[in-house]
Amino acid sequence: MTPSYVTDVPEVARASTATHPVATPAKDLYFALQADPLGNARAAEDFLRTQIAAVQAIPADLPPTLAQLPEWIQARTDAVGLEYRDYLNARKAGAPRRYFGNRAHALNFLKAAAPTKLVDGAWLYGMLRHWNNPDFHPLIKTYLEELGEGVPDKNHVTIYRKLLATHGCDGWEHLSDNHFLQGAIQLALGHSGDRFLPEVIGYNLGYEQLPLHLLITSYELNEFGIDPYYFTLHVTVDNAATGHAQKAVQALVDLMPRVGDRAEFYRRVLDGYRLNELGASTNSVIADFDLQDELIDILVQKAVTGKNMHSDYCRVAGRSVNDWLAVPEQVPGFLGALEIAGWIKRGEDVENSRFWRLIHGERAEMFGVFSAYEQQVLKDWILTAPDGREGAKEPRMLTHRARQRTMDNLSQHQDRSSSYPERGLIRRRAGRDLETDNELALLEQQVADAAGKVEAMALLGELMSPAHHHSAAGLMATRMYTKLLDI
């Protein structure tokens, strides 16, 4: 049976087009919903109505009837497959990479996409409370798979957090509001699911289609020795035959109202589908990258704390480093002065640049000042000749997959989830972290003491929110919820 609120479409639809206050900036709402979703519920709804109003003129290529959706998805999948085949053939014939000009460019993409990737699946969180209605199971199971069903190595947010940490891609919290728009939409939908169910279904339908950029991104990240697993995982789970794309269609079919205005419901599904078009996208963040601008931004950020930390005896073009860094607008001139003074030798091996030797290496005077990502930006900038010509080449690096093949059997099969003690439905020996183990034991006891399945599922659902599901307790709650769902 379809829930009664699903048929109450006209009232919600009228609210979505009514005059409403200016929405909270996406970045502010993003962090507010992570910290206090209940206290920001009204702001989330106002934000969604504003975004829905903004997409009305955007065309949606969904077919006019539900019966045509499977064929539409298959046609899209086939088209993407053919385009990817053409890409691979071109690369084999000697064509350059399509997306990433250098390794810094690829790492910048990881950072720029972080606000969206770190709330992966959040738009479906509100569906958890409907576990006792089989019509919601395709959406719920999609959310559970985004959470890796509680297995750390499969939890999408955990995987991406590790990817960022591995390459020193921190500071994503300081990105522009546009970078946070998609993440804010996902969080707002997740915490307002009951009032925006058609939009959730439509957003999910759009997000779970396999895009060409996912395939190319995976291929080119691997070439730079960057683990593409987060992206290849989405290629497999979003497949049209049995994956999230198929579940998205099934959810729409199951939840389309039997009584009420079906046309209005589908119109709102289209609104949700269009929401995928807002904010920074994979293609836009890749196209917006400029190596020198990124280096200048990094140095400007460093100058906030470094402008008073240098000795006066170190002078460039007759001025102290502190003097150069005192005003952000002087940073480009400072870089130019370093080149003229021979501290940086563009187009040559980085070891020929004194400035590089100051920041890189265990005995470097500025060791630890620049993260791995920031060092890569500087390195790629130095390797590039000033006139834009190809300069010195970085030594050939193994692809990520090639490096994996050279690892010994122990490291290949090492349990990467050992820092997350699994208790409850998947038991392991306790004692790795006493505080965490006690927390998990308490959760087990609370679930065991619940008055019934309704209370137990509500308790577990709270820990599976976008802000908490990747914690040790959230992972265990996900394993329990997954097991109990079909009992």
Side-chain angles (χ1 to χ4, degrees):
M1 179 179 295
T2 305
S4 60
Y5 62 80
V6 175
T7 62
D8 188 22
V9 175
E11 178 184 350
V12 181
R14 283 195 300 271
S16 68
T17 58
T19 301
H20 40 265
V22 176
T24 305
K27 188 173 180 178
D28 293 346
L29 184 67
Y30 182 97
F31 291 111
L33 287 176
Q34 291 285 61
D36 181 16
L38 289 178
N40 291 281
R42 179 60 182 272
E45 292 188 13
D46 288 341
F47 175 82
L48 284 175
R49 293 189 180 100
T50 299
Q51 305 313 317
I52 290 168
V55 300
Q56 294 305 303
I58 297 176
D61 60 347
L62 286 177
T65 67
L66 298 185
Q68 295 171 297
L69 272 174
E71 182 181 351
W72 172 81
I73 290 177
Q74 189 58 55
R76 284 175 56 108
T77 302
D78 291 344
V80 168
L82 290 174
E83 289 182 83
Y84 186 54
R85 185 182 66 183
D86 291 343
Y87 166 83
L88 293 177
N89 289 337
R91 292 300 309 279
K92 290 176 182 177
R97 285 182 295 271
R98 183 178 299 182
Y99 282 175
F100 305 123
N102 47 57
R103 197 167 191 267
H105 194 177
L107 294 178
N108 176 266
F109 162 70
L110 297 183
K111 185 174 80 166
T116 302
K117 306 303 185 186
L118 292 177
V119 294
D120 205 357
W123 65 93
L124 294 172
Y125 171 61
M127 305 298 101
L128 291 182
R129 70 192 66 175
H130 301 294
W131 56 268
N132 59 344
N133 186 337
D135 289 344
F136 283 85
H137 282 201
L139 297 178
I140 292 174
K141 289 185 177 180
T142 295
Y143 186 66
L144 294 177
E145 289 169 7
E146 299 283 347
L147 274 54
E149 296 181 333
V151 178
D153 281 357
K154 302 295 183 183
N155 181 286
H156 295 187
V157 172
T158 298
I159 295 169
Y160 206 82
R161 282 160 58 96
K162 179 179 178 181
L163 188 61
L164 294 175
T166 296
H167 299 287
C169 296
D170 51 8
W172 59 269
E173 300 90 344
H174 305 297
L175 292 167
S176 73
D177 197 73
N178 200 44
H179 287 84
F180 285 85
L181 184 52
Q182 274 296 308
I185 288 171
Q186 294 181 13
L187 289 168
L189 287 171
H191 290 293
S192 311
D194 284 355
R195 287 191 62 80
F196 292 89
L197 179 62
E199 288 81 6
V200 169
I201 293 171
Y203 185 87
N204 183 65
L205 187 60
Y207 199 91
E208 299 296 357
Q209 303 308 311
L210 178 64
L212 177 63
H213 66 69
L214 194 61
L215 296 164
I216 297 177
T217 297
S218 302
Y219 189 91
E220 296 191 4
L221 289 175
N222 176 62
E223 288 185 302
F224 283 112
I226 300 168
D227 188 353
Y229 178 60
Y230 173 89
F231 301 91
T232 57
L233 177 62
H234 283 75
V235 172
T236 57
V237 301
D238 291 346
N239 75 84
T242 60
H244 293 179
Q246 187 276 331
K247 289 184 175 69
V249 174
Q250 189 61 51
L252 175 56
V253 172
D254 291 345
L255 292 168
M256 176 66 77
R258 279 66 164 176
V259 178
D261 193 337
R262 291 168 62 90
E264 178 65 12
F265 187 95
Y266 194 63
R267 185 194 66 76
R268 293 179 60 197
V269 168
L270 294 178
D271 285 343
Y273 180 84
R274 293 184 182 98
L275 289 175
N276 283 281
E277 300 300 318
L278 297 179
S281 67
T282 293
N283 291 324
S284 70
V285 298
I286 290 172
D288 288 344
F289 179 77
D290 181 272
L291 185 60
Q292 178 153 322
D293 288 348
E294 182 67 10
L295 178 59
I296 290 172
D297 286 345
I298 290 170
L299 293 177
V300 167
Q301 293 169 22
K302 297 297 177 187
V304 173
T305 54
K307 60 188 177 183
N308 297 314
M309 299 296 178
H310 297 81
S311 301
D312 284 342
Y313 72 81
C314 180
R315 308 184 79 80
V316 178
R319 299 171 60 183
S320 70
V321 175
N322 287 341
D323 186 24
W324 277 112
L325 299 181
V327 181
E329 289 75 17
Q330 296 181 154
V331 168
F334 179 51
L335 272 178
L338 287 172
E339 284 190 69
I340 294 171
W343 284 63
I344 293 176
K345 297 183 178 181
R346 301 283 304 280
E348 299 184 18
D349 186 283
V350 290
E351 294 299 332
N352 297 336
S353 292
R354 181 181 177 187
F355 186 73
W356 172 259
R357 298 196 302 273
L358 285 175
I359 71 166
H360 183 75
E362 293 184 2
R363 299 181 64 84
E365 288 89 337
M366 296 172 63
F367 175 79
V369 172
F370 289 77
S371 70
Y373 165 70
E374 292 165 344
Q375 289 185 37
Q376 189 66 53
V377 171
L378 176 61
K379 185 176 187 178
D380 286 333
W381 183 77
I382 293 175
L383 290 173
T384 304
D387 58 4
R389 291 182 297 103
E390 184 177 10
K393 291 186 178 181
E394 192 168 5
R396 179 177 173 83
M397 66 179 68
L398 289 175
T399 67
H400 175 76
R401 293 189 179 94
R403 285 195 293 111
Q404 289 295 100
R405 288 195 294 268
T406 62
M407 296 170 66
D408 58 51
N409 288 335
L410 176 62
S411 57
Q412 282 186 12
H413 298 96
Q414 194 173 34
D415 180 9
R416 294 184 294 169
S417 63
S418 58
S419 62
Y420 294 89
E422 297 180 4
R423 296 184 48 113
L425 299 174
I426 307 176
R427 287 186 177 275
R428 293 189 177 188
R429 288 181 298 174
R432 280 180 287 264
D433 184 320
L434 184 59
E435 182 177 351
T436 299
D437 198 61
N438 287 339
E439 181 183 30
L440 301 185
L442 178 60
L443 175 58
E444 276 187 306
Q445 190 60 53
Q446 288 178 344
V447 173
D449 292 342
K453 187 174 179 179
V454 172
E455 183 178 330
M457 294 297 265
L459 172 64
L460 296 172
E462 290 181 8
L463 291 169
M464 295 164 64
S465 72
H468 301 299
H469 66 73
H470 50 278
S471 67
L475 290 164
M476 191 177 90
T478 304
R479 294 192 295 274
M480 287 183 163
Y481 184 103
T482 301
K483 183 70 175 180
L484 291 173
L485 179 62
D486 294 319
I487 294 178

